Amino acid sequence: MTTPTGTLDLALLVEERERVLRAFLAAERVHIAHACHDMARAFARGGALVAYGSGPAATDAAHVAVEFMHPVIVGKRALPALAPFDDVSRIADVTRSLGRPDDIALGIAHAGPDEAVTAFLATAGERGMLRMALIGGDAPAPEADHVLRVPSDDPHIVQEVQETAYHVLWELVHVFFEHPGLLDDACITCGDIAVAARVVSTGDGSAVIESEGAREQIATDLVPDVMVGDVLLCHAGVALERLESGAAPEPAVEDPASFLYPFLERSEHDVESVLADVEASTVGKGEDVIALRSGLDMAAIAACASDVRARLDAGARVLAFGNGGSTTDAWDACSDARAAGWPAISLPNDASTVTAVANDVGFENVFSRQLIALARHGDVALAISTSGSSPNIVAALEEAHRRGMLTVAITGHDGGRIANLEWLDHLFVVRSDYVPRVQEAQATLYHLLFHAIGART
């Protein structure tokens, strides 16, 4: 059997991604664990994450904000995050205006840091923010508290490894919230006046209280029979009186995300053991996405690229769409297409139209309504969805099919409702139900697709 044109090349690119990701995690897993710990302490003090991406990495900054603000794991807290920068010339001014001493600044560049990322992190330093940098290549590192460098000069590989890195930061920062004793500089009761806080767990002569997302362990000798749910008046690490009695504790329910964090029962003060377990979990997550990438169908990607290229050569445009993190992927895919000289439009980026249609007609129609106005026969519809079942994605693909567009869908899970669209021209399913790893493999898939399509001549 002969190898289809481009298939072997694509397989080699996947192997290179495997090599770079393993090298990155081997070099940076300790730094990632300590970065998670520092971020958790900043969040516990009431800080917010401010992300900035240089050039194409703007899509990653937006992705970071979505992941932290809208957790996909049920029961995990939403963490304050934003990616506000759309004017490179005003990065320092905006950072100076928004940044506070307890905040976190995350700068992202797919190559070495440029002047914009350097300026962003420098201003963040002036504001006393925790500074983190994700960079690639071998250019000098910016000044930051944590620098994570991807050992590659290929911007697509760098981006994919960085996506794994910031997903892992988001996933594992939650570990430290389950160990309030390790958030050593988060103090609820250190002010001049006593504060009210609710009990979330009890021990022998002590309890863990929570208020506004921060947790602290306090002594309960002055208040008898403290139980979970009680509201206590506390000061200087001591419970003074019970303000409200809690309900009887409910039977323990297994955390649906416990498989991610098998080490949550560690001692509250055993920071080195927790850090070591976070390191091991980081490497394990990398192996998970490597396994998903190995399952990508290179022949199918090459065949799809051939069909898309034929449409593009005939004057077609790519119109891409997705929700949440997949919005940033649609944006990223269109950026890749335009960099290669092809016309491409990311539908979710038109926030005014999206919100107008959502408000007046319904969110399930936001992309199909755009296609009615923008799409032409022969254009390419690129849908990206982790579930494969989002109503607005399905509706948009149906509208694309009615209009004679080439329909391409990249999904996760089992393909969802999209997998039942018998007329779909090309379907790629990353068979996993865990969103971060699905998104990382999906990024590889559309990067390979546009690599196989090639540049406009």
Side-chain angles (χ1 to χ4, degrees):
M1 177 183 295
T2 59
T3 302
T5 303
T7 301
L8 180 59
D9 180 38
L10 297 179
L12 292 174
L13 289 175
V14 170
E15 290 180 7
E16 177 63 6
R17 283 159 166 80
E18 177 180 331
R19 185 194 68 78
V20 173
L21 179 56
R22 285 197 171 116
F24 170 79
L25 294 178
E28 304 290 2
R29 65 182 186 274
V30 174
H31 298 145
I32 290 172
H34 283 275
C36 288
H37 190 196
D38 286 350
M39 291 174 73
R41 290 188 289 186
F43 282 125
R45 294 192 301 267
L49 173 61
V50 183
Y52 169 70
S54 173
T59 65
D60 293 288
H63 199 150
V64 167
V66 169
E67 297 295 349
F68 280 80
M69 283 287 287
H70 183 60
V72 296
I73 301 177
V74 175
K76 297 304 174 184
R77 68 180 69 186
L79 297 170
L82 66 161
F85 304 112
D86 55 6
D87 184 350
V88 172
S89 66
R90 297 188 60 248
I91 289 172
D93 291 340
V94 175
T95 308
R96 195 171 289 112
S97 172
L98 290 176
R100 301 170 301 177
D102 287 332
D103 288 343
I104 305 162
L106 174 61
I108 309 173
H110 293 165
D114 61 9
E115 294 181 2
V117 169
T118 300
F120 166 65
L121 292 173
T123 306
E126 295 171 6
R127 299 293 296 160
M129 300 168 69
L130 175 68
R131 293 169 298 168
M132 304 175 60
L134 294 175
I135 61 173
D138 56 5
E143 186 174 347
D145 301 288
H146 298 281
V147 177
L148 304 176
R149 183 192 297 276
V150 180
S152 174
D153 294 320
D154 184 322
H156 289 161
I157 294 178
V158 170
Q159 189 275 336
E160 292 169 34
V161 174
Q162 289 177 340
E163 184 170 348
T164 296
Y166 59 70
H167 275 155
V168 168
L169 290 172
W170 166 74
E171 293 168 87
L172 296 181
V173 72
H174 290 274
V175 170
F176 295 96
F177 298 140
E178 304 296 337
H179 295 274
L182 302 184
L183 305 179
D184 50 18
D185 50 2
C187 186
I188 299 170
T189 66
C190 293
D192 294 331
I193 61 175
V195 297
R198 188 171 298 277
V199 175
V200 295
S201 67
T202 60
D204 184 14
S206 68
V208 174
I209 57 171
E210 183 173 45
S211 176
E212 297 183 352
R215 291 188 177 188
E216 181 183 347
Q217 190 165 16
I218 60 168
T220 57
D221 302 289
L222 301 180
V223 181
D225 302 321
V226 169
M227 61 189 297
V228 173
D230 285 352
V231 176
L232 306 179
L233 185 67
C234 311
H235 185 247
V238 176
L240 303 178
E241 63 177 292
R242 181 184 288 104
L243 300 179
E244 179 183 325
S245 295
E250 297 180 358
V253 178
E254 184 179 356
D255 184 343
S258 60
F259 72 98
L260 294 172
Y261 319 121
F263 38 84
L264 292 183
E265 298 304 318
R266 292 288 191 183
S267 164
E268 292 297 330
H269 301 286
D270 190 4
V271 64
E272 293 304 321
S273 292
V274 175
L275 288 169
D277 281 331
V278 169
E279 292 175 35
S281 184
T282 297
V283 174
K285 294 177 191 306
E287 292 299 322
D288 289 343
V289 73
I290 285 171
L292 287 177
R293 288 188 178 122
S294 69
L296 298 179
D297 188 335
M298 301 303 151
I301 294 172
C304 179
S306 179
D307 284 353
V308 174
R309 177 64 188 247
R311 296 289 183 110
L312 293 173
D313 282 337
R317 302 167 300 172
V318 174
L319 284 77
F321 43 93
N323 295 301
S326 298
T327 289
T328 68
D329 289 335
W331 178 8
D332 185 36
C334 288
S335 296
D336 291 342
R338 289 193 296 269
W342 302 113
I345 303 168
S346 176
L347 300 184
N349 283 31
D350 188 351
S352 298
T353 297
V354 168
T355 53
V357 175
N359 183 63
D360 297 338
V361 185
F363 193 69
E364 68 275 12
N365 299 305
V366 292
F367 302 134
S368 56
R369 180 61 64 93
Q370 287 175 291
L371 291 178
I372 290 171
L374 296 172
R376 300 177 302 202
H377 184 87
D379 282 343
V380 179
L382 174 60
I384 304 176
S385 171
T386 55
S387 70
S389 295
S390 301
N392 59 358
I393 302 296
V394 175
L397 285 169
E398 290 172 339
E399 186 63 43
H401 177 61
R402 283 193 290 270
R403 292 180 174 276
M405 300 177 72
L406 182 73
T407 52
V408 181
I410 301 173
T411 76
H413 294 254
D414 60 357
R417 290 175 57 194
I418 291 175
N420 295 322
L421 303 178
E422 296 179 355
W423 41 259
L424 198 68
D425 295 302
H426 295 279
L427 172 65
F428 300 95
V429 180
V430 177
R431 295 193 178 278
S432 171
D433 59 3
Y434 188 56
V435 172
R437 303 293 87 80
V438 169
Q439 290 176 332
E440 292 154 29
Q442 287 180 332
T444 298
L445 204 157
Y446 65 73
H447 283 154
L448 294 179
L449 177 63
F450 282 101
H451 174 87
I453 289 169
R456 190 173 192 171
T457 55

